Amino acid sequence: MEQAAASWMMFVTAYGGLIEFGKVQKGDFVVLGGVASSVGITAIQIAKMQGANVIALSRTHAKGDVLLQKGADFVIATKEDDVTAKLLEITNGKGVNLVFDPVGGKEAAKNINAMTQDGKYIIYGALSHDDIAVPVFPILGKRLTVRGYELFEITTVPEKLAQAKKIHV
């Protein structure tokens, strides 16, 4: 019963970060961290529903095939690949539109450095336990948004929760 009662949480978390605050659009390049988690898998599904190109981050390539089967278009191994270079390669140098990140830490700069003009970096967890590394010049030069997000921003606002409930994955 507890598992069934909690299952909605992953959907509302992904919805809030991607749809409500991330404003994911068709053709956007979306970077998802922590994709092997329930929120990560759901985020893949929601981003794909919006027509986005999904770039999944995983520590190694070991889960790569599974993540591609779950709907990711690309997989980058954060411990094996040059993350910034790979993101720019995948986007043909244009950069990513949205990073939805549960990890943070010093690795955040690798994503931020590969963002496009007016991109959004949304952090919804602190799996790293380290402060995020925030490179100032990309934020200023590209007018980036760096934002924290909590599930309660959706669940405590009846209108937003009602919208989240309408999504069908």
Side-chain angles (χ1 to χ4, degrees):
M1 294 302 274
E2 289 175 7
Q3 184 179 16
S7 66
W8 61 272
M9 201 168 110
M10 61 194 162
F11 293 99
V12 176
T13 300
Y15 166 84
L18 297 173
I19 306 295
E20 181 71 25
F21 300 109
K23 307 289 186 210
V24 172
Q25 302 291 312
K26 183 177 182 175
D28 281 355
F29 284 90
V30 177
V31 176
L32 302 174
V35 287
S37 70
S38 60
V39 173
I41 297 297
T42 305
I44 290 172
Q45 296 170 343
I46 291 174
K48 293 303 289 181
M49 285 174 53
Q50 296 302 110
N53 301 289
V54 174
I55 306 166
L57 300 181
S58 184
R59 286 186 297 262
T60 68
H61 283 288
K63 297 176 190 168
D65 289 341
V66 172
L67 297 172
L68 292 170
Q69 289 172 358
K70 296 292 182 184
D73 297 296
F74 307 93
V75 176
I76 296 175
T78 59
K79 300 287 183 199
E80 300 170 7
D81 296 325
D82 179 334
V83 175
T84 304
K86 283 294 227 184
L87 290 172
L88 291 172
E89 176 185 323
I90 290 167
T91 62
N92 292 317
K94 294 177 184 171
V96 298
N97 305 90
L98 174 66
V99 176
F100 188 53
D101 186 11
V103 179
K106 296 171 183 145
E107 303 295 311
K110 295 177 181 178
N111 295 316
I112 291 170
N113 284 326
M115 295 183 74
T116 192
Q117 197 78 16
D118 298 313
K120 296 177 185 93
Y121 175 94
I122 298 176
I123 185 162
Y124 70 99
L127 294 175
S128 163
H129 300 287
D130 291 328
D131 288 338
I132 63 170
V134 182
V136 174
F137 291 113
I139 291 172
L140 292 173
K142 297 178 184 179
R143 299 183 310 267
L144 302 180
T145 299
V146 177
R147 177 192 206 289
Y149 163 65
E150 294 180 317
L151 167 73
F152 305 113
E153 292 182 72
I154 302 296
T155 61
T156 60
V157 181
E159 300 81 22
K160 289 182 180 181
L161 182 57
Q163 281 301 117
K165 288 178 181 179
K166 290 181 182 180
I167 196 161
H168 300 286
V169 182

